[in-house]
Amino acid sequence: FRIQKWAPSASTGVTVAGGNGYGFSANQFTTAWDVFVDTAGNVYVCDGVSSRIQKWAPGASFGITVAGGNGSGSAANQLNNPTGIYIDGSGNMYIADNGNNRVQKWAPGAIAGITVAGGNGAGSASNQLLNPWDVFLDANESMYISEVGNHRVQKWVPGATSGITVAGGNGQGDNANQLNTPYNVFVDSRESIFVADFYNNR
């Protein structure tokens, strides 16, 4: 229940967030699913069971809630087991709201988020998501969303009401055109997609 920072060539890490056992206090986590560090060195953590995003400033001994934290639910000011986060250059947070089958965008200082992908119930249609686990934005602000329930990665261009499958989407399996519980996604500058294909160990 901590975030560790390992300097280049270090043989040990240092705790930069959490490390105070399991819990719901400002200095604790219940499930630290994902982490994102902005250019100022602030550490953002998806605290899943607590249904909140915690921001830890450099050197802080506790975090502050910057999204969710109002109980587990589907209201605009709530999250349900957030598992992935990406922060753009303007400080907007894009959150894979796993239990609500949607991606929420929270502007800096906002008290509620807006749905920018999914939010149409659990399913496999192009306008639906099923247990989205991670989200990544490319230089054009297109979202790439890994779905563990649909074993695919969906790409949502800005303002879209539906996504297109860019990896997997051919059922659960280990063939070259399949994925099995894709957890994390990363897209490089040439738009190559890298997927952590969990149960295929690849």
Side-chain angles (χ1 to χ4, degrees), residues 98 130-133 146-152 180-184:
N98 183 278
L130 183 57
N131 300 128
W133 197 272
S146 60
E147 292 180 74
V148 298
N150 285 322
H151 308 286
R152 68 185 181 183
N180 188 346
T181 314
Y183 275 138
N184 300 100

Side-chain angles (χ1 to χ4, degrees), residues 21 62 148 192:
F62 62 89
V148 298
S192 295

Side-chain angles (χ1 to χ4, degrees), residues 98-117:
N98 183 278
N100 285 321
N101 301 297
R102 66 187 183 183
V103 172
Q104 292 291 93
K105 177 182 177 181
W106 287 61
I111 59 172
I114 59 171
T115 301
V116 290

